[in-house]
Amino acid sequence: MAIEVSDRAREWLKRKGGVATVRLSPRHGCCGGGADIAVAEARAPDAPERYTRLDLDGVTVHIDPTLVDQGLRLDVEGFLGLRHLFVEGASPTRSKE
């Protein structure tokens, strides 16, 4: 499977519109180094044609094609109104220059 969505994340996403995006986000170090970190957001991507779309039990997940089949898992953490979506299982990759 391309990505696993926990039951808790699935229910939370359904309340937020039923759509998630998993993408790489560049992070830059203080000395010029960098890495791409997998992040998850409870929204549709700005350019959906650049993503692989998966319909998983009532939730639509747009996932960066480079992250497909990486054994990722979406979950939710936090409490009350301070909950947020996160992705686990991805190793940071080196930024492309």
Side-chain angles (χ1 to χ4, degrees), residues 57-81:
D57 296 323
V59 174
T60 300
V61 178
H62 299 271
I63 184 169
D64 184 303
T66 61
L67 295 172
V68 172
D69 296 326
Q70 295 292 315
L72 303 181
R73 184 174 197 277
L74 281 181
D75 208 345
V76 173
E77 66 182 2
F79 60 95
L80 301 173

Side-chain angles (χ1 to χ4, degrees), residues 19-57:
V19 178
T21 298
V22 179
R23 63 180 179 83
L24 291 172
S25 177
R27 300 291 195 250
H28 303 284
C30 64
C31 299
D36 292 329
I37 306 294
V39 296
E41 302 166 314
R43 66 178 189 88
D46 294 333
E49 66 277 3
R50 294 183 183 169
Y51 292 81
T52 300
R53 179 187 167 133
L54 304 170
D55 294 308
L56 305 170
D57 296 323

